[in-house]
Amino acid sequence: MLATLLSATLVALDGRVIRVEVDVAPGLPGFTIVGLGDASIREARERVRGALRNAGFVHPPRRITVNLAPADVPKTGSAADLAIAIGILIGSEQFTPRAGRAALIGEVSLGGEIRPVPGLLPMVAALARRSVRRVIVPADGADEARLVDGLEVVPAATLVEAVDALRSRRRAAPTRPARVELAPAAAASAGRPGPALAPPLPPPDLADVRGQVEARRALEVALAGGHGLLMIGPPGTGKTMLARTIPKLLPPLSDADSLSATIVASASGEGPIHALVRTPPFRAPHHTSSYAAIVGGGPRLAPGEVTRADNGVLFLDELAEFSRDVLEALRQPLEDGRVSIVRAAGAVTLPARFQLVAATNPCPCGHAGEDDRCICGESVPARYVGRISGPLRDRIDVWVTLARIRAAVMFDDAEPESSDVVGARIAAARALQQARPGGKLNSRIGSRGLRAVARLRPVTRDRLSELADAERLSGRGTERLLRVARTVADLAGADAVEVEHLEEAARWRPPSSRPVMALAV
Ligand SMILES: Nc1ncnc2c1ncn2[C@@H]1O[C@H](COP(=O)(O)OP(=O)(O)OP(=O)(O)O)[C@@H](O)[C@H]1O
Ligand SMILES: [Mg+2]
């Protein structure tokens, strides 16, 4: 007998509805799955066989053919397991579904449990768009599925529970209204873990960071305007520590951004997700990360770090140690806020509007610029920082050098400003930018928009031109200076960009015209 059920698969960040046709026919026992499935779909045969047997059903000794339609959508992952298992039970007449048409999503274990799968949220959303009214999902993924309005979510922890749900006409207990319980803004997202082995370290507070007045200010300016930031300094000066304070400094995401961040988190397999993700992502991939891990890809078109940092911060610690390929690959997302993943089957484009924050030593030994401590040889430091190529340098608006911190400062009794205080200023400055026409952060404003928001008076324009001439800034360099100055003005609550704001912004320009050796001073 033929059974036809609905399920879904994930293509990058999008859910696609698929039809699972299961034919259980007389003939030599066999189990074939057709319809552009990847290796994990082929392995579904073994999982389903074990699950049926161990849940007390019979794996029929017949010729079983499963067709996943439409044939042109590549199917990946294990989300169709449940539909295949139920299809076999219906096809072999082990039970008859009574309830109206329901879709099924979930991976089955050999023991017959139903396990969560990456991308449940976009998959359920795809079913809702196709007017499916009822979906059976893994019990652990129920909260995530309920973020989608307009369809009934039935959680099932085991195959037996899924069968019961299909047998009964009774509607499940009323679902919780969607989107009521939002993640507290303070919930640490310092690298919201994937399938983490160790819990993430809580972000440090700015009150714990001693000295480094310039770097603290540079961080504040960069976060207030969404500007790319590079911190350069010898080891142990607090670069990594400063970057790790970021999650506590950023305001929560807007509703729209929060939904897209939740979809990315879901598709990246960060679940189980219980509420919309409200904290901006902070991703800190290691410098040995592969190209695919950063950009995205692989058989499942899994989103890479640039996409997982969308609407948040991508922190590249030890920037100069990243492979050239990876650094080059950052050009497109930094330019367009999107990243294309090209595969034999075609290209997909994923969002990647992240703010780049990076840190590096000035040279491999870390001590360039500190008198005679550097052991690298004369030309090495220049080459080292030179690995950060032109296009990447152009995208970093705020450059700051950190020097070794003196013990007297380190153990001074006066406590520096806390993350709460600085975070409030950042949020206020961002709110000013978002209230302007277009609502963009200063780092993303185009040339025309920048002219309008800068509100330069003649005296300020003269000063800008002096600064640009002194530094021989290109057109782009001048815009960058003005953009950062606009953020400095926003932090001061000023309506127009004034000379003092320009002068502060000039402190954060890239050191292209200065020798690299001077960087770490
Ligand atoms: N400015 C600072 N204030 C307070 N503690 C600091 C400061 N700088 C460094 N430390 C202490 O030193 C530790 C190491 O600092 P951190 O990892 O931030 O250095 P880094 O600049 O990233 O060095 P590296 O170049 O080796 O990565 C911190 O965890 C902290 O305990
Ligand atoms: Mg470090």
Side-chain angles (χ1 to χ4, degrees), residues 159-181:
L159 209 47
V160 174
E161 282 185 33
V163 167
D164 285 347
L166 287 166
R167 262 193 187 134
S168 71
R169 259 184 226 283
R170 177 175 51 85
R171 286 178 65 87
T175 54
R176 206 161 42 79
R179 300 177 197 170
V180 283
E181 190 187 297

Side-chain angles (χ1 to χ4, degrees), residues 140-463:
D140 281 349
D143 287 345
E144 184 177 333
R146 282 179 186 141
L147 292 171
V148 179
D149 292 321
L151 82 182
E152 183 196 1
V153 171
V154 184
T158 62
L159 209 47
V160 174
E161 282 185 33
V163 167
D164 285 347
L166 287 166
R167 262 193 187 134
S168 71
R169 259 184 226 283
R170 177 175 51 85
R171 286 178 65 87
T175 54
R176 206 161 42 79
R179 300 177 197 170
V180 283
E181 190 187 297
L182 301 176
S189 80
R192 269 178 293 114
L197 299 175
L201 296 168
D205 196 281
L206 267 184
D208 300 331
V209 180
R210 299 297 166 127
Q212 306 302 14
V213 180
E214 285 279 284
R216 290 171 64 105
R217 175 68 181 170
L219 180 67
E220 179 176 338
V221 171
L223 293 180
H227 304 285
L229 168 71
L230 177 60
M231 295 180 274
I232 307 176
T237 45
K239 301 182 294 297
T240 304
M241 192 181 183
L242 268 169
R244 287 190 44 238
T245 63
I246 291 174
K248 270 165 89 175
L249 293 174
L250 288 174
L253 294 172
S254 69
D255 286 350
D257 291 347
S258 160
L259 186 60
S260 71
T262 313
I263 289 174
V264 171
S266 168
S268 311
E270 287 179 25
I273 291 168
H274 297 291
L276 284 180
V277 173
R278 285 283 175 187
T279 15
F282 176 79
R283 303 293 310 173
H286 193 252
H287 60 77
T288 54
S289 298
S290 68
Y291 181 90
I294 302 284
V295 172
R300 291 173 184 219
L301 285 175
E305 294 293 341
V306 293
T307 298
R308 294 174 78 173
D310 186 44
N311 285 311
V313 168
L314 181 68
F315 172 48
L316 301 183
D317 206 356
E318 319 292 350
L319 183 67
E321 300 288 339
F322 278 80
S323 82
R324 215 162 239 295
D325 284 359
V326 166
L327 293 182
E328 283 298 305
L330 294 176
R331 286 168 63 160
Q332 188 207 3
L334 284 170
E335 209 58 53
D336 311 339
R338 287 140 37 111
V339 65
S340 302
I341 308 176
V342 181
R343 288 200 322 161
V348 292
T349 303
L350 301 182
R353 283 154 304 167
F354 56 84
Q355 176 183 354
L356 179 68
V357 173
T360 185
N361 293 139
C363 66
C365 83
H367 296 288
E370 289 185 293
D371 303 329
D372 53 357
R373 288 190 67 193
C374 180
I375 53 164
C376 291
E378 217 170 292
S379 62
V380 177
R383 252 189 290 135
Y384 190 69
V385 178
R387 293 188 63 178
I388 306 160
S389 65
L392 202 56
R393 297 167 78 95
D394 273 350
R395 277 283 152 177
I396 298 174
D397 294 347
V398 180
W399 295 61
V400 67
T401 57
L402 291 83
R404 195 177 66 84
I405 170 173
R406 293 190 7 253
V409 177
M410 186 86 184
F411 297 102
D412 189 1
D413 283 339
E415 185 154 292
E417 276 184 322
S418 71
S419 292
D420 284 347
V421 174
V422 178
R425 280 201 299 266
I426 291 172
R430 283 186 168 224
L432 283 177
Q433 296 162 50
Q434 278 152 353
R436 297 198 179 111
K440 286 188 180 156
L441 290 184
N442 292 334
S443 54
R444 299 215 166 263
I445 290 187
S447 317
R448 285 188 75 195
L450 182 63
R451 203 163 304 144
V453 299
R455 297 164 156 253
L456 291 180
R457 292 186 294 135
V459 47
T460 348
R461 189 169 305 133
D462 291 348
R463 184 69 187 123

